[in-house]
Amino acid sequence: MVLGISEFDVEDTLDSMLNDMEIKKSQEQNTHTAGSEIKTEENTKDEKLVINRFCLLFHRLSDEQIKLINKTGELPENAKFVTGIFGRYKIVNNWFNICTGTCILPFGYEVRKNLFGFAVVVPVGSKGLFLR
């Protein structure tokens, strides 16, 4: 008991708050699903990102792959964002799942192509001579 508040009171309050949020979310989803479109095979196919290891090795990603990474903010299981020299991020292969890094795009960064067509991770809104 801290400051006259028991642990059970805090847990009950948090549980009731979470239940209220879940009820509101379910009500919003019910209103949205009534007017939403039915997902086609094309929509579900675009959600899955696949990058082969050869493209990751040479940092050659297509425009569609870069757009999908920036949209979802995630990489597939075979790739990770790793901190490079001077605190910059780069995309590397995740060989045998032993590479240290994250599959989630770091906050404030985006993936773009440079002048030579290689994928680079830069801060959002960066401008430069070699960036496209």
Side-chain angles (χ1 to χ4, degrees), residues 18-63:
L18 290 173
N19 288 336
D20 291 342
M21 289 190 320
E22 289 176 3
I23 291 170
K24 288 179 184 177
K25 285 182 183 178
S26 64
Q27 290 173 352
E28 289 175 2
Q29 288 176 353
N30 290 340
T31 58
H32 291 299
T33 55
S36 64
E37 299 177 0
I38 298 172
K39 287 189 175 184
T40 61
E41 292 179 15
E42 295 174 3
N43 291 343
T44 56
K45 183 176 133 183
D46 291 338
E47 297 297 325
K48 180 85 171 156
L49 178 63
V50 177
I51 304 173
N52 65 15
R53 294 198 185 274
F54 183 74
C55 292
L56 285 172
L57 183 65
F58 293 106
H59 304 285
R60 303 292 280 189
L61 303 177
S62 67
D63 293 332

Side-chain angles (χ1 to χ4, degrees), residues 90-109:
K90 60 182 181 176
I91 301 172
V92 297
N93 277 315
N94 186 14
W95 297 105
F96 305 111
N97 202 17
I98 60 171
C99 184
T100 59
T102 179
C103 289
I104 299 172
L105 184 64
F107 180 75
Y109 285 87

Side-chain angles (χ1 to χ4, degrees), residues 68-124:
L68 194 56
I69 290 171
N70 289 330
K71 178 183 170 189
T72 61
E74 294 181 358
L75 285 174
E77 293 179 3
N78 65 339
K80 285 197 177 183
F81 292 106
V82 176
T83 306
I85 300 173
F86 304 118
R88 295 251 173 179
Y89 289 97
K90 60 182 181 176
I91 301 172
V92 297
N93 277 315
N94 186 14
W95 297 105
F96 305 111
N97 202 17
I98 60 171
C99 184
T100 59
T102 179
C103 289
I104 299 172
L105 184 64
F107 180 75
Y109 285 87
E110 65 181 346
V111 180
R112 291 176 56 189
K113 280 190 176 181
N114 64 10
L115 185 64
F116 304 112
F118 295 103
V120 293
V121 182
V122 296
V124 174

